[in-house]
Amino acid sequence: RQTGRAVVVTLAMAAEPPPPLEPYPLPTFHEEGFTEKFLRKTRENPLVPLGCLCTVSILAYGIICFKKGNTRRSQLMMRARVIAQGFTFAALLGGMVATAVKSRQ
């Protein structure tokens, strides 16, 4: 059962077909290797690699002290390692917050 609906066609619609849709070109991205990405991320947040380097250095020195039998120094280095890891984590979070704030502006 049809209801009495009227179809409205303007002269512009009936005169010619609609123009074809032109596709937008896809964006191109530069393929960056590991070294390029590492250097870019280091420039963005230099405290994270510095914290990682400090953590590894303190850990290595603590293991050397443990092997030599200097248990007091070894325990001190393990505590220092935890502090260095905390610094690294704080730097990582700070960098993430800074990036999020920067992208919102």
Side-chain angles (χ1 to χ4, degrees):
R1 187 174 163 183
Q2 258 186 337
T3 58
R5 291 186 191 167
V7 177
V8 178
V9 177
T10 63
L11 289 176
M13 291 171 64
E16 60 187 60
L21 297 175
E22 295 181 20
Y24 291 105
L26 294 175
T28 56
F29 297 102
H30 171 68
E31 290 286 327
E32 65 180 348
F34 175 77
T35 306
E36 292 171 331
K37 185 175 182 178
F38 179 77
L39 291 175
R40 179 176 57 84
K41 294 283 187 178
T42 301
R43 274 187 241 107
E44 288 175 4
N45 193 357
L47 295 178
V48 172
L50 181 66
C52 291
L53 183 65
C54 287
T55 302
V56 170
S57 301
I58 291 169
L59 177 65
Y61 185 62
I63 291 172
I64 290 169
C65 289
F66 181 75
K67 291 277 187 182
K68 288 183 178 179
N70 191 349
T71 56
R72 177 149 169 70
R73 174 73 46 110
S74 175
Q75 284 297 313
L76 183 66
M77 289 298 109
M78 290 305 118
R79 291 181 184 132
R81 176 192 55 87
V82 172
I83 293 170
Q85 279 180 311
F87 170 78
T88 304
F89 186 71
L92 183 65
L93 284 179
M96 288 172 53
V97 168
T99 303
V101 168
K102 187 175 167 183
S103 67
R104 283 191 168 185
Q105 291 177 351

